[in-house]
Amino acid sequence: MSTPGGIVYLLDDEPELVKALTRLLRGKHFDVRGFTSVRAFLEAFSPQDTACLVLDVTMPELNGLELQRQLTHQGILIPIIFLTGNGDVPMSVRAIKAGATDFLIKPVDAAVLVPAVRAALQTAETQRQTIAETAALAARFATLTPREREVMAHVVAGKLNKQIAADLGTGEQNIKLHRAHVMQKMRVVSLADLVRVAERLDIRK
Amino acid sequence: MRDGVARRRMSWVTIIWSMSAAVSLTLGAIHFVVWLQDRKAWANLWFALLAASVAGFAGFELAVLQAQTAAQYATLHQWGHVPLFFTFVSLIGFIMFYFRSGRAWLAWTVIGLRLVVLLINFTFGPTFNFRAVTGILPFQFLGETVAVPVVVPSPWARLGEGSALLLLVFVLDASIRLWRRGDANERRRALVVGGGIALFISLSVVNGLLIHSGTVHAPHFVSLFFVLIVVAMGYELSRDVIHAGRMAEELRENAEGMSLAAGAAQLALWRWDIARDVIWVSPNGRQLYGIPPGEVISLQRFLDTLHPDDREPARQAVMRSLEGDGAFHSEYRVVLPDGAVRWIGARGKVEFNGQREPLCLRGVSGDITERKRIESEVAEQLRFEILLADLSARFVNVPAEQLDDQIEEAQRLVCECLHVDLASLFQWSVEDPSFTRTHFWRLSEGPPLPMKIDAGEHLPWARQQLQAGKTVVFSSLDELPPEAARDKEHFRYLGIKSGVGIPLSAGGAPLVGGLTFNAIREERVWPEEIVKRLRLVAEVFANALARKRSEQEAAQHRAELAHLTRVNTLSELSGSLAHELNQPLGIILSNAQAAQDIVAQMPEGAAELGEILADIVAADRRAGEVIQRLRTLLKRGESEMLPLSLNGVIEEVLHLAHADLIGRGVTVVRALAPDLPQATGDEVQLQQVVLNLVLNAADAMSANPPDARRIHIATTRDEGVVRASIRDEGGGLPADPEKLFEPFYTTKPHGLGMGLAICRSIITAHAGRLWAEPHPDHGAVFHFELPIAGPTEKL
């Protein structure tokens, strides 16, 4: 199985464990960056990276769950695999609800950790792609004239050209023209694609 | 002749001599009658004899005085010696018996001499005094002409006077001895009688001497002196008789008064005639000693009525009184024919004769049983009082571990002090209402005592009384009320004749026991004073027991607290322990696994290294699992309590453990109740418990042959609970199965000693209980019970 691209950040206050996990994951051909302090990690971390974070829950300077909350707050979506030496059910439930992809108990077995990391990176990659696609669509949407945006909103709402013309107080032929420009600019070929794009961009009437 | 006779009759001589003889005879007759009344009054008989002799002598003398011829004179004089002889003899006899001081040899000598005189008197003639009476001369005497003989004196005559002098010596000697020896009365007697006799004998001797020697021509009137002797003696003797009569009257009155007083005082009068060994006793005395009327009582017969232990002391008291001052005093027990014992006190006095020889012992006896009882009660109370003070002091500071011994020691002391045979301290509780004998003391002999008495069955009345805080006292079984019929029967069965039972209470705490004292050998009374003090003993015991109990409870609380602290510490410890251990285990594992990857890419020859790493990884995983499991088990407050099927839990565990059990050659015998209600619990935790018990059972049989490795699992329903019982056929349990549930207790070489402790804490958290007991056949059974799920909890 091929190793997905992306960076695996390791954050644990125990340097030995960071070192061991780094060795282990490098052995599995992951791009691993190990840290023993939250600050060092935040300095090195770039939100644009496709990456996942293997995070110790009990960190002396900052609780793992707290860090997760802060990152979410900053709009940084990075899949987090929690490690705990002492985890319990309520803690894991909270972590998972807050978006953690996994909650593993130390000592963590390679057989458990490697698939988890692989899945997290997959998630990161998916997220990165989604974000990239949305950005592209938004860029195309930005090229539409205000009139075209109005027409697009009406079209994805399922209205007929005649109804749209009546709503906007113009002729049906004009609406057909705007509609063709929208399809062209948004690089879609069918109404269904256009609706999907509109949903991605959260465009409503 | 006729005139002469007439004249003679009228004469003074005739009158005086006749009257003298008559007086003498009369006195003699009186004393003869006295002797007839009292045959022991020998002095009176001798006096009567003397008086008769003197009267006879006076008669002859009168005849001699009136003799008409010399021959007549000589014949009458000769015969006159016969009454004279008897006068001598009876005088001596009188002195001997009246004075009791005459010398026998003197007496016999005088009598011998008089016998010789009498012999000479009749062998040589004409009389003892005269060789010949040659004639008589008329002599004017008291206006009458009496005969005065003309005689040739006999040479023997001195012998007569000698015998009279010897008689005089005898009388004087006897009188002096009486004077020396006697009291005032006897001295007077010696003076009057002895002196009188001596005087008149002297006079008569002088008179006789003068006349017989022919020196003086005078008539013979010796008999008159003897009459005077008789009168003097008669006077004295009559005084005695009168005195004796008065004495007898007084004595009779005294005796009557004594009898009355004795009877009123419930005293018995008695008298022991020593010579005849016969005891006379008043009728109430026979009752006192239990001797039937009419039976003759000897000293031995009297001693036989006594308690065997008291016979010798009583006999010695009698002997002492005979040898000593005559005072007799003794106290002894009399055993009556019906077996009853009675204390009797006797006092008396010995009467001695003149020779200090004991004649009789007389005295009184009275029943002193009551006094003896009070005396012994008082003594007992005093002894008990001292004991009680000692016990109270002793129990102030008894260490708890010595208390049991001290109580039994105290029971022994109380029993010995009160002569009680058995003391028991019973305790009971709400859970176990039967009487459990926790402390007791008894005399060595006797039937075996049950240590536990089903009081409800055998002592219902006594239990009710004691539990109501009442003291039970009975001197004999007959005193028990009718409702105590079953108690009575049980006491009889135990051989108890009498007893006291006191409820045990300390400082108002609920009653938890009773203290009993029982008499087995014989019935006895329990005076209120004693019972009151026994209550104090019970209080001392109860306080000491209460203190011991509270000390034990405190110790148990401490132990429980220590246990709880240890378990909590362990629980907390295991949390951080898990973290601390997991971290390095994680490092080892990750490194080893990283190394495995590297080794996997290395050329041939690194296989060994791969195996090493594989072992490290395996060991690390196992260590991690152990910690994980421990952590899960010790975690608290996270269990999910849901209705579940106990059978289901068991089946699940057996499924999980199936392979393991087969590997160990263990077969499982199921006896699961088909329609078992649901219980409430955390399934995972209960699985842990069942798994633990099943694996323990398998471990316990590892030494058994394979066909004897069976685990029997049963589920049953009981009052409000479902129960699982897991039995093995292994080596059984330690003496105290509870030890198994203590943390860190293990029977396995590599056991942690936590399994059963954790199981118990899980089941306890489920409001259930877990315990172990030996199986009747062999091996051990572990049971746990869980409450049945309520209807509202059912989903």
Side-chain angles (χ1 to χ4, degrees):
Chain A
M1 190 180 170
S2 69
T3 300
I7 303 159
V8 179
Y9 289 101
L10 283 174
L11 180 50
D12 194 302
D13 58 316
E14 184 105 31
E16 253 84 334
L17 184 68
V18 173
K19 215 158 77 182
L21 285 177
T22 307
R23 278 187 196 135
L24 177 71
L25 292 174
R26 285 213 175 117
K28 303 292 181 191
H29 311 294
F30 290 104
D31 179 3
V32 185
R33 318 253 169 103
F35 300 93
T36 54
S37 84
V38 176
R39 197 149 45 85
F41 160 69
L42 287 177
E43 277 170 10
F45 175 69
S46 160
Q48 282 76 41
D49 294 337
T50 299
C52 73
L53 174 61
V54 177
L55 175 61
D56 185 19
V57 176
T58 47
M59 299 272 288
E61 47 185 327
L62 190 62
N63 183 296
L65 294 175
E66 186 57 25
L67 178 62
Q68 180 192 29
R69 209 180 56 76
Q70 278 186 20
L71 291 174
T72 314
H73 204 63
Q74 290 168 27
I76 298 167
L77 296 172
I78 178 167
I80 300 176
I81 298 165
F82 279 106
L83 295 184
T84 177
N86 198 9
D88 50 30
V89 175
M91 193 195 273
S92 58
V93 168
R94 263 197 300 156
I96 300 286
K97 273 186 177 168
T101 53
D102 244 320
F103 199 89
L104 305 179
I105 290 166
K106 291 180 188 176
V108 66
D109 201 313
V112 177
L113 182 63
V114 171
V117 169
R118 198 167 272 145
L121 284 178
Q122 198 68 57
T123 307
E125 177 59 25
T126 313
Q127 277 177 355
R128 197 193 58 77
Q129 284 176 8
T130 312
I131 288 164
E133 281 169 16
T134 311
L137 290 174
R140 287 170 204 159
F141 187 69
T143 61
L144 298 184
T145 64
R147 196 54 162 186
E148 285 166 354
R149 289 182 195 175
E150 278 182 335
V151 172
M152 180 174 166
H154 282 84
V155 169
V156 297
K159 289 184 176 170
L160 300 172
N161 288 345
K162 211 181 338 180
Q163 287 174 305
I164 299 168
D167 285 352
L168 297 178
T170 183
E172 199 179 347
Q173 277 309 311
N174 270 341
I175 296 303
K176 271 190 181 170
L177 193 65
H178 284 312
R179 190 171 171 160
H181 284 155
V182 168
M183 299 289 270
Q184 192 189 2
K185 281 183 181 173
M186 294 309 290
R187 297 187 193 168
V188 294
V189 290
S190 68
L191 179 61
D193 287 342
L194 187 68
V195 170
R196 220 171 286 130
V197 168
E199 276 176 358
R200 287 277 287 274
L201 295 173
D202 199 16
I203 295 160
R204 290 189 184 82
K205 189 191 156 190
Chain B
M1 265 310 281
R2 213 185 283 163
D3 290 348
V5 169
R7 273 202 308 274
R8 279 200 304 273
R9 276 184 183 165
M10 297 298 291
S11 73
W12 284 107
V13 170
T14 308
I15 291 167
I16 290 169
W17 261 256
S18 307
M19 287 293 286
S20 297
V23 165
S24 211
L25 269 178
T26 309
L27 284 171
I30 290 168
H31 287 277
F32 183 70
V33 172
V34 170
W35 174 77
L36 282 178
Q37 293 297 314
D38 179 7
R39 296 296 174 92
K40 278 181 282 182
W42 295 111
N44 296 64
L45 180 65
W46 283 113
F47 177 82
L49 213 61
L50 174 65
S53 306
V54 168
F57 183 47
F60 272 102
E61 203 170 54
L62 180 61
V64 166
L65 284 175
Q66 292 174 342
Q68 300 297 317
T69 65
Q72 194 181 17
Y73 185 101
T75 306
L76 287 167
H77 199 278
Q78 188 181 33
W79 283 101
H81 273 281
V82 174
L84 190 61
F85 172 77
F86 283 107
T87 301
F88 267 66
V89 170
S90 54
L91 186 66
I92 287 169
F94 175 78
I95 295 285
M96 286 301 279
F97 278 92
Y98 193 53
F99 282 15
R100 293 178 182 276
S101 59
R103 286 184 204 268
W105 66 268
L106 265 177
W108 286 116
T109 309
V110 174
I111 291 169
L113 271 178
R114 283 319 298 185
L115 213 59
V116 172
V117 168
L118 204 60
L119 212 65
I120 295 168
N121 181 49
F122 283 104
T123 30
F124 302 95
T127 113
F128 169 73
N129 303 82
F130 313 124
R131 191 178 292 171
V133 180
T134 52
I136 48 173
L137 296 172
F139 188 84
Q140 288 302 312
F141 185 61
L142 298 171
E144 189 181 353
T145 304
V146 297
V148 174
V150 180
V151 297
V152 181
S154 166
W156 299 107
R158 298 293 85 79
L159 197 63
E161 280 116 35
S163 73
L165 282 172
L166 208 55
L167 177 64
L168 187 65
V169 170
F170 167 76
V171 171
L172 284 173
D173 172 66
S175 301
I176 289 162
R177 281 168 65 141
L178 182 64
W179 175 274
R180 282 189 185 154
R181 185 193 71 193
D183 55 16
N185 206 35
E186 283 174 327
R187 284 184 171 198
R188 192 179 49 76
R189 188 182 295 169
L191 200 63
V192 173
V193 179
I197 294 169
L199 178 67
F200 297 129
I201 289 175
S202 307
L203 290 173
S204 73
V205 168
V206 171
N207 176 262
L209 202 62
L210 291 174
I211 292 167
H212 297 152
S213 62
T215 316
V216 175
H217 277 278
H220 201 283
F221 53 91
V222 174
S223 71
L224 292 189
F225 297 115
F226 282 94
V227 171
L228 288 173
I229 290 172
V230 167
V231 170
M233 280 163 46
Y235 165 74
E236 194 57 29
L237 206 54
S238 299
R239 264 179 61 104
D240 282 0
V241 169
I242 291 161
H243 184 65
R246 214 169 37 230
M247 288 270 284
E249 178 66 17
E250 278 173 15
L251 214 59
R252 197 171 50 78
E253 281 174 7
N254 273 350
E256 275 176 9
M258 285 271 283
S259 288
L260 272 174
Q266 295 184 321
L267 292 172
L269 301 174
W270 46 260
R271 180 174 174 280
W272 175 42
D273 185 330
I274 297 168
R276 287 161 57 216
D277 188 18
V278 171
I279 298 174
W280 168 86
V281 66
S282 57
N284 62 340
R286 285 186 181 266
Q287 285 175 8
L288 199 63
Y289 288 89
I291 300 173
E295 186 181 338
V296 176
I297 311 166
S298 63
L299 180 67
Q300 191 54 48
R301 173 71 179 86
F302 153 72
L303 291 173
D304 286 345
T305 64
L306 306 191
H307 188 283
D309 293 351
D310 294 346
R311 281 175 196 162
E312 188 53 27
R315 203 182 61 78
Q316 283 181 2
V318 171
M319 293 308 141
R320 267 200 310 278
S321 71
L322 298 185
E323 289 155 13
D325 61 352
F328 167 71
H329 176 226
S330 181
E331 292 183 354
Y332 40 76
R333 284 164 290 177
V334 165
V335 182
L336 298 176
D338 64 0
V341 173
R342 166 183 289 165
W343 271 98
I344 285 175
R347 275 180 186 282
K349 183 94 182 149
V350 181
E351 285 175 24
F352 295 96
N353 67 7
Q355 274 70 53
R356 293 271 319 143
E357 283 160 1
L359 298 175
C360 69
L361 171 58
R362 62 174 94 227
V364 290
S365 292
D367 189 334
I368 56 165
T369 308
E370 182 66 11
R371 197 196 81 208
K372 280 282 177 189
R373 189 182 67 76
I374 291 168
E375 270 175 14
S376 74
E377 263 176 34
V378 167
E380 190 174 75
Q381 277 175 23
L382 188 68
R383 278 203 312 277
F384 195 30
E385 205 75 56
I386 293 164
L387 174 63
L388 200 64
D390 177 43
L391 288 183
S392 307
R394 201 188 293 193
F395 271 79
V396 171
N397 276 320
V398 177
E401 70 274 9
Q402 289 176 16
L403 182 64
D404 293 340
D405 288 345
Q406 285 288 341
I407 287 182
E408 295 197 335
E409 170 70 4
Q411 284 177 320
R412 178 180 74 82
L413 291 172
V414 171
C415 283
E416 286 178 353
C417 181
L418 299 181
H419 305 291
V420 177
D421 309 315
L422 169 65
S424 305
L425 197 155
F426 290 104
Q427 293 190 58
W428 59 78
S429 62
V430 181
E431 299 86 50
D432 184 4
S434 57
F435 285 8
T436 303
R437 200 187 301 268
T438 55
H439 306 79
F440 76 98
W441 183 87
R442 64 177 300 176
L443 274 179
S444 50
E445 66 263 29
L449 289 174
M451 295 314 287
K452 225 174 164 71
I453 297 177
D454 185 347
E457 176 68 24
H458 299 303
L459 299 171
W461 177 79
R463 186 177 74 165
Q464 188 201 338
Q465 296 287 311
L466 288 177
Q467 287 184 342
K470 290 181 193 157
T471 301
V472 174
V473 182
F474 57 97
S475 300
S476 71
L477 292 182
D478 298 334
E479 284 184 14
L480 291 169
E483 57 266 34
R486 272 198 281 171
D487 305 63
K488 196 161 154 182
E489 193 184 321
H490 195 64
F491 286 139
R492 199 167 282 143
Y493 166 72
L494 294 174
I496 289 170
K497 293 200 175 74
S498 145
V500 174
I502 300 154
L504 279 185
S505 68
L511 300 169
V512 289
L515 180 64
T516 65
F517 294 93
N518 299 115
I520 286 172
R521 285 170 297 182
E522 56 191 7
E523 294 175 357
R524 63 157 292 158
V525 289
W526 305 90
E528 180 54 31
E529 287 302 306
I530 292 289
V531 173
K532 217 185 278 174
R533 281 160 181 77
L534 287 176
R535 280 200 201 100
L536 288 176
V537 173
E539 204 170 303
V540 167
F541 287 177
N543 282 326
L545 284 173
R547 208 182 63 220
K548 182 189 172 191
R549 192 170 301 178
S550 66
E551 274 173 22
Q552 279 174 340
E553 277 171 10
Q556 193 169 348
H557 280 150
R558 277 199 300 277
E560 278 171 10
L561 203 65
H563 175 77
L564 217 64
T565 309
R566 209 161 59 213
V567 169
N568 277 339
T569 309
L570 185 73
S571 177
E572 280 162 24
L573 199 69
S574 71
S576 55
L577 197 72
H579 183 72
E580 295 304 319
L581 284 177
N582 282 338
Q583 203 73 354
L585 284 174
I587 295 162
I588 294 166
L589 184 61
S590 297
N591 275 322
Q593 287 179 333
Q596 274 179 320
D597 285 341
I598 296 165
V599 167
Q601 288 159 22
M602 281 168 75
E604 295 298 312
E608 179 83 20
L609 194 55
E611 276 173 35
I612 291 169
L613 290 168
D615 285 350
I616 291 173
V617 167
D620 194 285
R621 276 184 186 144
R622 224 177 65 214
E625 278 166 21
V626 167
I627 289 167
Q628 190 58 33
R629 200 160 70 203
L630 193 65
R631 216 176 55 79
T632 312
L633 286 172
L634 285 171
K635 239 167 14 190
R636 284 153 184 256
E638 286 165 33
S639 52
E640 252 187 312
M641 303 295 269
L642 294 169
L644 52 78
S645 157
L646 185 57
N647 286 348
V649 169
I650 290 168
E651 289 292 359
E652 178 69 25
V653 168
L654 291 178
H655 182 70
L656 283 171
H658 184 64
D660 192 25
L661 293 177
I662 284 181
R664 299 181 189 213
V666 174
T667 51
V668 175
V669 182
R670 291 173 174 82
L672 304 181
D675 49 357
L676 206 61
Q678 288 194 308
T680 311
D682 183 305
E683 185 150 20
V684 178
Q685 288 186 355
L686 292 180
Q687 281 175 3
Q688 286 286 354
V689 171
V690 174
L691 184 64
N692 207 314
L693 296 179
V694 167
L695 294 181
N696 277 351
D699 287 345
M701 298 187 288
S702 55
N704 287 21
D707 58 343
R709 296 180 188 168
R710 282 180 297 269
I711 298 178
H712 306 258
I713 303 185
T715 53
T716 47
R717 177 185 185 162
D718 209 338
E719 193 65 40
V721 292
V722 287
R723 179 184 312 133
S725 304
I726 292 141
R727 183 205 156 192
D728 63 58
E729 296 184 6
L733 295 167
D736 179 9
E738 278 300 298
K739 272 200 172 320
L740 291 171
F741 299 101
E742 287 175 8
F744 305 116
Y745 178 90
T746 182
T747 57
K748 302 174 193 172
H750 303 295
L752 186 58
M754 287 302 294
L756 285 172
I758 291 163
C759 285
R760 173 164 277 186
S761 71
I762 288 173
I763 296 297
T764 306
H766 279 73
R769 54 193 196 105
L770 167 64
W771 74 98
E773 61 187 23
H775 190 271
D777 296 342
H778 59 281
V781 199
F782 285 77
H783 306 274
F784 68 86
E785 284 176 354
L786 297 170
I788 290 171
T792 51
E793 288 172 283
K794 267 184 182 165
L795 292 176

